[in-house]
Amino acid sequence: MIDGVVLTPLRRIADDRGAVMHMLRVDSPVFQQFGEIYFSSVHPGKIKAWHYHHRMSLNYAVPVGRINFVLFDPRPHSLTHGQVQEIALGDDDYALVSVPPGLWTGFQCVGGETALVANCATLAHDPSEGERKDHDDPSIPYVWRERP
Amino acid sequence: MIDGVVLTPLRRIADDRGAVMHMLRVDSPVFQQFGEIYFSSVHPGKIKAWHYHHRMSLNYAVPVGRINFVLFDPRPHSLTHGQVQEIALGDDDYALVSVPPGLWTGFQCVGGETALVANCATLAHDPSEGERKDHDDPSIPYVWRERP
């Protein structure tokens, strides 16, 4: 696991009507502060990458569909400098991924249905706080799967 | 509108990959405090009702599918005492519904796909803080649609 990233399994309590899916509580060990909760839907095969945050920590969960979530650690003094990590997220692998600032992140919908990524971040969105690169930027050593 | 309930239209920014859907920011006029964010999925036609909270305020948004959200005001001194209200929520009516304590609430999935209701509540879930009634309890003057 990339240094500072925390994976917390989450409860999904199903019955014949649907399911209740936990995400984040104020008394969770990974909760820092509330900045914003928003969603990103991703159609099958589509990629949203790459994103970087200077100060914001992310908390991702995927309550609908399946996502391949990818992280790259560019931090010069990190124990995991230069490493890439893939994490499978979705209703079958229902978990919270908490990501500190200073990493490049991206995700691809790998299921047959449109996926929903929820992000409960420590800061409200501020374009001046983040950076972006194209999903195939050569500075990040990761090749996304072929799109369907 | 039932007294104290606030409906805030939300932005949904779509492109060919999917959409970004806002829900709640710390600097929103309706934000009070963060207790918990969780999801409830509801299969077509299914009802989740009735729920009551003594102290918790709710913030509901529906990023997937379509919901008929229903509120009943039992507060003796409310301007809208005894009234029932229906609110259509979904990706076509994308909005945040903020609900104060003291109301009965419930919802039904009215679309053809499983809907996802997100609730960013002011308190973490505490069974001693809430009450429940069956969806057809005669004390609440509302008849749900026939299930498919």
Side-chain angles (χ1 to χ4, degrees), chain B residues 23-95:
Chain B
M23 183 174 172
L24 183 61
R25 287 169 62 120
V26 68
D27 55 3
S28 161
V30 296
F31 179 76
Q32 296 178 47
Q33 64 181 21
F34 178 77
E36 182 172 7
I37 170 78
Y38 70 90
F39 308 104
S40 183
S41 65
V42 205
H43 299 317
K46 298 293 185 180
I47 298 163
K48 294 191 172 180
W50 294 99
H51 301 107
Y52 178 97
H53 293 283
H54 291 277
R55 295 182 293 114
M56 182 191 288
S57 294
L58 316 173
N59 292 284
Y60 276 130
V62 179
V64 177
R66 298 188 63 74
I67 286 285
N68 179 33
F69 180 57
V70 185
L71 303 106
F72 171 65
D73 185 355
R75 299 169 298 182
H77 303 294
S78 168
L79 293 170
T80 50
H81 169 70
Q83 289 188 24
V84 165
Q85 182 179 0
E86 294 178 304
I87 303 175
L89 293 177
D91 39 18
D92 289 343
D93 296 289
Y94 190 55

Side-chain angles (χ1 to χ4, degrees), chain A residues 12 15-27 31 34-44 46-49 51 61 63-64 94 114 116 118 120 123-126 132 147, chain B residues 12 15-27 31 34-44 46-49 51 61 63-64 94 114 116 118 120 123-126 132 147:
Chain A
R12 188 175 177 286
D15 64 23
D16 68 310
R17 300 170 302 168
V20 170
M21 286 171 271
H22 292 179
M23 182 174 172
L24 184 59
R25 287 169 60 118
V26 68
D27 55 3
F31 179 76
F34 178 77
E36 181 172 8
I37 170 77
Y38 70 90
F39 309 104
S40 183
S41 65
V42 205
H43 299 317
K46 297 292 184 180
I47 298 163
K48 293 190 173 182
H51 301 108
V64 177
Y94 191 56
T114 296
L116 192 78
C120 191
L123 301 174
H125 177 66
D126 169 5
R132 291 177 177 234
R147 303 200 201 186
Chain B
R12 187 174 177 286
D15 63 23
D16 68 309
R17 300 170 301 169
V20 172
M21 286 170 273
H22 293 178
M23 183 174 172
L24 183 61
R25 287 169 62 120
V26 68
D27 55 3
F31 179 76
F34 178 77
E36 182 172 7
I37 170 78
Y38 70 90
F39 308 104
S40 183
S41 65
V42 205
H43 299 317
K46 298 293 185 180
I47 298 163
K48 294 191 172 180
H51 301 107
V64 177
Y94 190 55
T114 296
L116 192 77
C120 191
L123 301 174
H125 177 67
D126 169 5
R132 291 177 177 234
R147 304 199 199 189

